[in-house]
């Protein structure tokens, strides 16, 4: 009972504080924290690309709360946002947004170019089902070399958009991998980043059965120091958008529990990962 009441107070405090703007740092606008020295009990918030409909709102929350995150980039189909028409998440209309995120100090990895969901290993390589691009929904067979090219294509596009190199981190869409796939990616220089069990924030689940308040309560009760958290820049199938409704209360609530946020540049398993091949 005491634990439940304590959690309830944290949630209420998070909801109350979520709308309060964070004062700008002296001499300039608010920016994300980037020093490991300022974060003693870190969690690692990561975002995979999605329809991008909430991306500007997510960016506002991250800047206001001075939270650094790691983005994993695929060229996914997008909603129209403001003056940006429907298109793809790595097209020219989104390039200024990605450049701004890079300038603010976030970290970046590949999510494959066409959001390739692994289905099975084959003697020649792997079978995937892309959920983006001209082969969307089809069964596609790739060799290990072709898969590595899919990872590197997102990295090259990121550097073209931002002028900064991507690190050799990747997340397989859906988290679906095999030992053979991971070995092939490692052989061409890429390091896979899954999420921890408690870090699954549920933003891709149906909102009728998993409403925002339930997801917020679950995350605040489960997330612990060291967890890698997973969210998306918009999920087509979710009717009640998770971000920013849950994002800011979650950040505030985790801070109230003594946790802080860092990019994967500060994670012990990934801090030494260099530039993407």
């Amino acid at each position: 009972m005491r634990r439940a009441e304590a959690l309830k107070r944290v949630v209420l405090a998070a909801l109350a504080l979520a709308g309060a703007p964070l004062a700008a740092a002296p001499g300039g606008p608010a920016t994300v924290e980037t020093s490991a020295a300022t974060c003693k009990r870190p969690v690692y918030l990561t975002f995979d690309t999605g329809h991008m409909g909430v991306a500007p709102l997510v960016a506002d929350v991250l800047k206001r709360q001075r939270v650094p995150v790691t983005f994993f980039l695929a060229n996914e189909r997008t909603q129209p946002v403001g003056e940006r028409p429907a298109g793809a998440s790595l097209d020219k209309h989104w390039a200024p947004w990605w450049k701004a995120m890079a300038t603010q100090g976030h970290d970046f990895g590949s999510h494959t170019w066409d959001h390739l969901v692994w289905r099975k290993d084959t003697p020649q390589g792997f079978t995937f089902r892309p959920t983006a691009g001209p082969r969307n929904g089809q069964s596609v067979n790739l060799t290990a070399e072709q898969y590595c090219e899919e990872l590197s294509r997102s990295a090259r596009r990121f550097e073209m958009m931002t002028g900064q190199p991507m690190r050799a981190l990747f997340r397989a869409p859906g988290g679906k991998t095999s030992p053979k796939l991971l070995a092939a990616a490692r052989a061409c220089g890429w390091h896979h980043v899954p999420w921890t069990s408690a870090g699954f924030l549920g933003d891709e689940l149906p909102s009728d059965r998993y409403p925002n308040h339930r997801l917020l309560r679950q995350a605040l009760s489960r997330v612990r120091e060291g967890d890698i958290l997973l969210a998306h820049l918009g999920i087509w199938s979710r009717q009640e958008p998770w971000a920013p409704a849950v994002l800011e209360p979650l950040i505030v609530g985790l801070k109230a529990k003594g946790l802080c946020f860092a990019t994967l540049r500060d994670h012990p398993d990934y801090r030494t990962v260099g530039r993407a091949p």
Side-chain angles (χ1 to χ4, degrees):
M1 181 65 70
R2 290 180 181 177
R3 183 176 181 180
E5 287 300 317
L7 176 59
K8 181 179 179 180
R9 288 195 294 272
V10 170
V11 172
L12 292 175
L15 291 170
L17 291 172
L22 186 67
T31 56
V32 299
E33 298 170 351
T34 57
S35 173
T38 65
C39 188
K40 301 301 184 183
R41 297 183 58 210
V43 293
Y44 306 90
L45 179 58
T46 69
F47 282 91
D48 296 350
T49 42
H51 62 55
M52 301 297 284
V54 299
L57 300 174
V58 168
D60 289 344
V61 171
L62 298 180
K63 189 172 183 180
R64 179 164 54 250
Q65 293 293 337
R66 296 183 182 175
V67 166
V69 303
T70 302
F71 293 101
F72 290 93
L73 281 61
N75 195 42
E76 299 190 63
R77 181 169 62 96
T78 62
Q79 294 179 347
V81 180
E83 297 181 355
R84 299 181 183 93
S89 52
L90 303 184
D91 66 20
K92 65 179 182 180
H93 302 289
W94 283 101
W97 191 86
W98 289 115
K99 186 172 184 178
M101 295 299 96
T103 300
Q104 290 175 23
H106 300 290
D107 196 11
F108 302 88
S110 179
H111 200 35
T112 75
W113 181 259
D114 280 340
H115 201 258
L116 298 174
V117 180
W118 175 87
R119 300 300 296 260
K120 64 180 181 179
D121 297 339
T122 68
Q124 294 76 30
F126 315 96
T127 298
F128 300 94
R129 180 164 293 173
T131 64
R135 302 170 295 179
N136 182 8
Q138 301 176 22
S139 183
V140 175
N141 292 313
L142 298 179
T143 65
E145 292 77 13
Q146 289 170 324
Y147 183 68
C148 290
E149 170 59 20
E150 276 276 328
L151 294 171
S152 295
R153 189 175 177 187
S154 292
R156 291 196 300 271
R157 177 59 182 159
F158 173 77
E159 187 163 0
M160 184 183 299
M161 292 187 297
T162 67
Q164 297 187 24
M166 178 184 284
R167 295 203 301 142
L169 301 174
F170 83 103
R171 171 170 291 148
K176 297 183 181 298
T177 65
S178 70
K180 180 180 177 180
L181 182 71
L182 296 179
R186 174 73 68 145
C188 62
W190 289 92
H191 304 260
H192 187 247
V193 181
W195 55 89
T196 54
S197 177
F200 179 73
L201 299 177
D203 65 339
E204 56 195 285
L205 298 174
S207 53
D208 57 342
R209 289 190 291 147
Y210 300 91
N212 281 341
H213 67 85
R214 176 180 173 183
L215 295 180
L216 175 61
R217 182 171 63 249
Q218 176 177 284
L220 287 173
S221 66
R222 294 177 60 193
V223 171
R224 298 291 184 268
E225 177 182 345
D227 279 334
I228 297 176
L229 315 183
L230 167 68
H232 298 79
L233 295 174
I235 295 292
W236 288 95
S237 60
R238 188 171 176 84
Q239 298 301 307
E240 181 186 27
W242 181 91
V246 177
L247 176 61
E248 195 154 19
L250 175 63
I251 289 171
V252 173
L254 293 179
K255 285 181 177 180
K257 295 175 69 173
L259 300 173
C260 54
F261 293 83
T263 72
L264 294 175
R265 282 189 295 260
D266 293 322
H267 192 286
D269 292 342
Y270 306 110
R271 63 167 60 105
T272 62
V273 175
R275 180 174 182 156

